[in-house]
Amino acid sequence: MRRALVVIPCLAASVALAACGGSGNEPPPKPPPPVALTIAQPLDSATVSDGTVEVRGTVHPTGAQVRVLGHAATVSGGAFSVHVALDPGANVIDVIATAPRRAPLMTAFRLTREILVEVPDLTGKSADDAQSALDSLHLKLDATRGDDGLIDAILPGDPKVCTQKPDAGTRVHKGTTVSVVVSKSC
């Protein structure tokens, strides 16, 4: 039984040795090792309230270049850092490291930027006005009546906010409940 011999012509000198057999004993070249990259700060899935965050970590080789969200990080002795801006809500932060004769390495982590709001001064407002002021800030109202004595029953006008918790000026997360006591006589 005769076997057919198929001849494949080599088109480029760079593939001639590999495609045409060469010595046949040489393994294919190994890909370059990737850059080593570690993110030290912030932690994945962290929640922050500031509009920027410092991303820090280490990279090897020490001369590698690091970009975070497209911004060049300062690399010194293998440590890198850069400040990046965050959008409100969920953010995905990508980090890529490159170095000569190394495969690039890319990673990403998530951060949530919560927006804190300042509790307004509700003292002297009606319950409806307090509710409107809090609605615009995405805060909730829990209004309770104060001790309505005999004087409150005969005083003219509507009940007004006498006290509130948290206090005016306190920074809180959206969705926080502000408790107030309303009465005609504070």
Side-chain angles (χ1 to χ4, degrees):
M1 176 172 189
R2 296 184 69 153
R3 293 187 180 168
L5 179 61
V6 178
V7 177
I8 301 173
C10 296
L11 300 176
S14 63
V15 293
L17 187 58
C20 295
S23 68
N25 297 331
E26 298 169 18
K30 290 183 181 180
V35 174
L37 175 70
T38 303
I39 307 298
Q41 173 185 307
L43 298 176
D44 186 28
S45 300
T47 300
V48 297
S49 58
D50 291 337
T52 62
V53 68
E54 181 183 20
V55 178
R56 292 188 299 143
T58 58
V59 65
H60 183 77
T62 58
Q65 294 181 343
V66 178
R67 295 187 79 75
V68 179
L69 285 178
H71 300 281
T74 302
V75 180
S76 176
F80 70 88
S81 69
V82 64
H83 282 83
V84 294
L86 299 175
D87 292 327
N91 291 262
V92 176
I93 311 297
D94 61 83
V95 182
I96 187 165
T98 59
R101 296 179 299 283
R102 294 284 186 124
L105 183 73
M106 182 177 178
T107 189
F109 59 94
R110 298 167 304 239
L111 283 180
T112 301
R113 178 184 172 203
E114 285 191 335
I115 304 295
L116 297 179
V117 294
E118 189 172 307
V119 176
D121 186 0
L122 304 174
T123 306
K125 295 183 183 281
S126 70
D128 287 342
D129 289 346
Q131 182 70 60
S132 294
L134 295 179
D135 283 347
S136 66
L137 297 170
H138 304 284
L139 299 175
K140 298 176 185 171
L141 177 67
D142 178 29
T144 57
R145 287 294 298 246
D147 292 332
D148 289 341
L150 179 61
I151 302 259
D152 254 19
I154 61 172
L155 287 174
D158 294 324
K160 305 289 182 197
V161 174
C162 297
T163 63
Q164 72 181 65
K165 290 290 179 200
D167 294 329
T170 303
R171 295 182 57 79
V172 297
H173 296 284
K174 290 181 178 181
T176 297
T177 299
V178 178
S179 300
V180 298
V181 175
V182 293
S183 179
K184 287 184 181 179
S185 61
C186 291

